[in-house]
Amino acid sequence: MFKVKQVEKIPLPDRVKRALKEAIGEHKVLDDEMDRMLYSYDATRLSFPPDVVVIPESEEDIKKVVKICYEEGVPITPRGAGSGYTGGAIPVKGGVLISFEKMDKILWIDEDNAVAKVQPGVITYRLQQAVEKKGLFYPPDPASYKFCTMGGNVAENAGGPRCVKYGVTREYIMELDTVIYTGETIHTGRITLKDVAGYDLTRLLIGSEGTLGIFTGITVKLIPKPKAKKTVKAVYMDLESVGKTVKDIFKAGISPSALEFMDKLAINAVEDFGHFGLDRDAEVILLIEVDGHPKALEDEILEVAKICEMNGAKVEVAKTDREAEKLWEARRSLSPAVAKLGRTKINEDIVFPRSYLPEALPKLREIGRKYNLKMVNFGHIGDGNVHANFMINGLDPDEVARAEKAVEEVFDLALSYRGSITGEHGVGITKAEFMRKQFSPQEMELMKKIKRAWDPENLINPGKMGLDD
């Protein structure tokens, strides 16, 4: 699970390198050993070097690359920023890796229809800044939003703190331009608010982890920018009350724009990392943001604070935008902060139905204790998406073995509550073996048939999601 082996390496003939250089330009095709190594990994730190790195500058470049590779039987792996946690952008069978770093243009913003079109290499934060200048809003905000790309977000159906209210990437994709295995571009979707003609191929492509085609253009829906927002910090001395608080907030008819939690180990890791002024003695901290019209906001934030207090929390409402921003900086610093707790970070992002959180969270923590592992839990508790992190010594075989058993129990726990093995990180290669826990043999076979229809030779991002025969 943690040390994925290369099952198959498909050789790339020199004639393919020559053909690629002739087709799109020599400067866009890199085969130096150092370049190949730089594009061989993602946030998992697993490394599988491609034979060639291609850096296209247009859709035409991609069409030529796909056509050449498919005719020659060469694997193709699309890559955004390489910020994924499951190996989705790693070329496990070698071949050609396509990096979108030069396809990074915001093509247009249509204010009247509240839509925008971007190339796949656009950084998510850049799009958010551009549309907010026009009074519009693109909500999905993965933790890596300042460097992850829109193409990667679509491939993984990325989430983030704000998705508890606004939904994940899927809810904002209107159209996709996708190069398929023939080297042709298909256009799916419409910018209309209603469209029920035919199968929804756009939705099928979203979250497909780059296994069905190569995105070249992405049209997104935008919404009005919220006029104001406020943040509450709630400090708890027991875990069970946190899950009950989440249930009570939604029962009260409040839809927070973000509802995040950090457990004790996470809090102290963040404080060691950045000194944000969090309560080191707390068992759990909740960060709750509400947004909307300023007149309604004051009543809503006071009701949230009251619910937290009724569940035993010590509550503070951020008085200024800077105070609120500092709290969210602490939350976004969690991944690098936690990474310092051990040599290897095993980061899983399971999902529970919200109603089961009071019961499930203590059981989750118990798994870490059972296997005597340092376990850090945090995440998007408002939508039941919990990041369970095991910090281990990757050089200790016994500790690695215990961590593997613990991860499997984490997945089993989520599935026992009708949850999922992943809420936003995707499956990639690190969770591929667990697909059969969540899906029946019939469901797996249907997914494999879909993969074969879009990619008959299994050359587009092969080796991912457990879909290889």
Side-chain angles (χ1 to χ4, degrees), residues 124-125 128 132 137-142 145 159-168 172 226 229 256-260 289 291 328 332 380 383:
T124 307
Y125 184 55
Q128 290 172 337
E132 286 183 26
F137 189 48
Y138 179 72
D141 60 336
Y145 76 121
R162 291 198 295 236
C163 294
V164 61
K165 178 176 181 178
Y166 293 106
V168 294
Y172 297 89
K229 56 187 178 182
S257 51
L259 208 172
E260 301 286 296
E289 180 185 271
D291 65 9
W328 291 109
R332 292 193 185 280
H380 319 306
D383 53 22

Side-chain angles (χ1 to χ4, degrees), residues 121-396:
V122 168
I123 303 297
T124 307
Y125 184 55
R126 269 192 60 221
L127 172 63
Q128 290 172 337
Q129 286 184 308
V131 301
E132 286 183 26
K133 287 176 183 176
K134 299 178 182 295
L136 297 167
F137 189 48
Y138 179 72
D141 60 336
S144 55
Y145 76 121
K146 288 195 175 179
F147 52 89
C148 65
T149 63
M150 288 298 295
N153 287 182
V154 175
E156 299 293 336
N157 192 20
R162 291 198 295 236
C163 294
V164 61
K165 178 176 181 178
Y166 293 106
V168 294
T169 299
R170 179 192 297 119
E171 274 62 68
Y172 297 89
I173 305 304
M174 306 289 282
E175 300 175 318
L176 288 173
D177 298 327
T178 307
V179 175
I180 59 173
Y181 74 97
T182 59
E184 300 167 296
T185 301
I186 62 167
H187 178 88
T188 62
R190 293 289 183 272
I191 63 168
T192 54
L193 293 177
K194 290 183 176 180
D195 175 20
V196 294
Y199 293 135
D200 193 340
L201 297 179
T202 306
R203 287 276 178 125
L204 175 61
L205 288 163
I206 299 163
S208 64
E209 301 194 21
T211 61
L212 303 181
I214 314 296
F215 305 138
T216 58
I218 301 164
T219 306
V220 300
K221 177 178 74 174
L222 308 170
I223 61 176
K225 183 181 177 182
K227 295 181 184 299
K229 56 187 178 182
K230 281 187 173 292
T231 298
V232 159
K233 178 183 75 172
V235 178
Y236 294 82
M237 293 303 166
D238 70 286
L239 188 59
E240 291 83 354
S241 298
V242 173
K244 187 172 183 305
T245 300
V246 174
K247 282 174 59 177
D248 290 348
I249 286 172
F250 286 98
K251 277 185 177 179
I254 298 167
S255 293
S257 51
L259 208 172
E260 301 286 296
F261 90 108
M262 297 178 265
D263 74 1
K264 192 181 193 72
L265 206 53
I267 294 163
N268 282 277
V270 165
E271 277 304 294
D272 291 340
F273 182 78
H275 306 293
F276 294 97
L278 301 180
D279 310 65
R280 284 183 178 272
D281 293 332
E283 197 63 34
V284 183
I285 287 178
L286 280 186
L287 296 181
I288 309 162
E289 180 185 271
V290 294
D291 65 9
H293 195 282
K295 289 183 179 178
L297 207 57
E298 202 62 45
D299 288 343
E300 210 162 62
I301 201 71
L302 288 174
E303 188 168 2
V304 167
K306 183 180 177 183
I307 290 168
C308 294
E309 287 172 343
M310 286 173 62
N311 281 288
K314 175 185 171 186
V315 176
E316 291 179 29
V317 178
K319 296 182 179 63
T320 65
D321 289 346
R322 178 60 199 137
E323 275 187 30
E325 186 55 37
K326 191 173 182 183
L327 290 172
W328 291 109
E329 281 177 18
R331 167 62 185 89
R332 292 193 185 280
S333 297
L334 264 169
S335 285
V338 169
K340 290 194 168 187
L341 294 177
R343 293 182 186 174
T344 303
K345 179 175 77 165
I346 311 302
N347 183 357
E348 304 301 347
D349 70 318
I350 49 166
V351 189
F352 297 98
R354 274 197 306 255
S355 63
Y356 296 125
L357 287 172
E359 185 180 325
L361 288 177
K363 290 182 180 179
L364 187 63
R365 178 175 283 185
E366 190 55 41
I367 292 172
R369 293 196 186 107
K370 175 181 176 180
Y371 290 98
N372 192 27
L373 295 169
K374 187 178 288 185
M375 187 181 191
V376 184
N377 295 311
F378 61 89
H380 319 306
I381 198 168
D383 53 22
N385 189 186
V386 179
H387 293 276
N389 295 262
F390 294 101
M391 312 311 303
I392 67 170
N393 177 356
L395 301 177
D396 181 344

Side-chain angles (χ1 to χ4, degrees), residues 12-33 35-36 51-57 60-62 64-69 72 96:
L12 187 144
D14 284 339
R15 67 175 181 275
V16 175
K17 292 183 186 180
R18 291 194 297 270
L20 291 169
K21 290 176 180 180
E22 288 172 11
I24 67 171
E26 197 163 331
H27 65 290
K28 301 176 189 176
V29 181
L30 312 177
D31 59 359
D32 177 83
E33 185 178 354
D35 289 320
R36 292 169 52 236
D51 295 289
V52 169
V53 177
V54 169
I55 304 180
E57 296 177 7
E60 280 304 309
D61 284 348
I62 293 173
K64 291 173 183 176
V65 170
V66 171
K67 191 169 180 60
I68 290 168
C69 289
E72 293 284 355
V96 172

